[in-house]
Amino acid sequence: MSTSRSPKIDTWIGVATLLVAVVALVADHYTDLPDWLGSACALVIGGTVTFAAWRWLRPGTHPTLQRNLLVGLLALVTVAGSALAWSGAGPRADERDDPADAKNVAVRETAKDFEVTRIGDNVPGADAELVIDACLEMSGTGRVPEGWGLWVANNRDPAASPGVGGFWSLQRARQSAGSATWHVDRFGVGNEEGDTGQEFWLYVFLVPPSSDAVLSSLLADAPGVEARPAGSEPVAQYRVKRNAVLNCPWFEANKNRP
């Protein structure tokens, strides 16, 4: 003896399936669930609606051609919606941040929180040009992201604009574990003799782990680099002017560097 479910049970099963699929589709949109879930939910929702239309639209009240066209259209929309819901299709995929991109965004935001509090004997201002010794230290506040490095460098100021010939006298800032302050030991700006009265630019930037490792390995042999380190984030830059105070042991210690 065969048995069959009542239409009412079929209706409740269909409604429950539809609700579960809708909830899952919304969850997939707002959370980081597997890529296939959105497409599967769209397929379930469309399939349920298509089946319901076929099941409950009676030929007696809806001509067969009209019924078939409607069900066919629902099936086509189901397939298209399922394809578009897949994370690799359309603009939705571009909106998902790659973990590396998220990290870079976080570091860019971190760079905005850094502050330079001392340049030699000066407290840097927003606009005023600073007059500096040939040799100076720098310090400030801000927590360096794990694995990254905070570096300072300088270059010349030809035609009242930052030079394009490289970044020189690179120095890596020191920061104790858990500290929110950093310090750069004494370094020289320009050449000790002949640069009195000349203008320079001082730079501070965050350097990602890969570039930080390269700079650290080159530091003993190279006073600078031709371009800003790859992936670095600018923290601050200042236009400065060298005064006539020369007595700077840093130049003597680095006079044989290329």
Side-chain angles (χ1 to χ4, degrees), residues 81-117:
S82 178
L84 290 175
W86 186 259
S87 65
R92 186 171 177 271
D94 297 333
E95 294 171 2
R96 293 197 173 193
D97 292 331
D98 181 88
D101 292 338
K103 174 69 173 176
N104 290 336
V105 170
V107 171
R108 280 194 288 272
E109 292 301 315
T110 298
K112 298 177 183 177
D113 296 332
F114 276 77
E115 182 178 358
V116 177
T117 55

Side-chain angles (χ1 to χ4, degrees), residues 14 18 45-59 61-64 66-75 78:
L18 187 63
I45 293 170
T48 303
V49 173
T50 303
F51 176 77
W54 178 262
R55 183 86 156 71
W56 286 301
L57 293 178
R58 303 296 181 185
T61 55
H62 296 80
T64 301
Q66 181 183 5
R67 180 185 184 221
N68 291 345
L69 286 175
L70 177 60
V71 172
L73 180 61
L74 288 172
T78 297

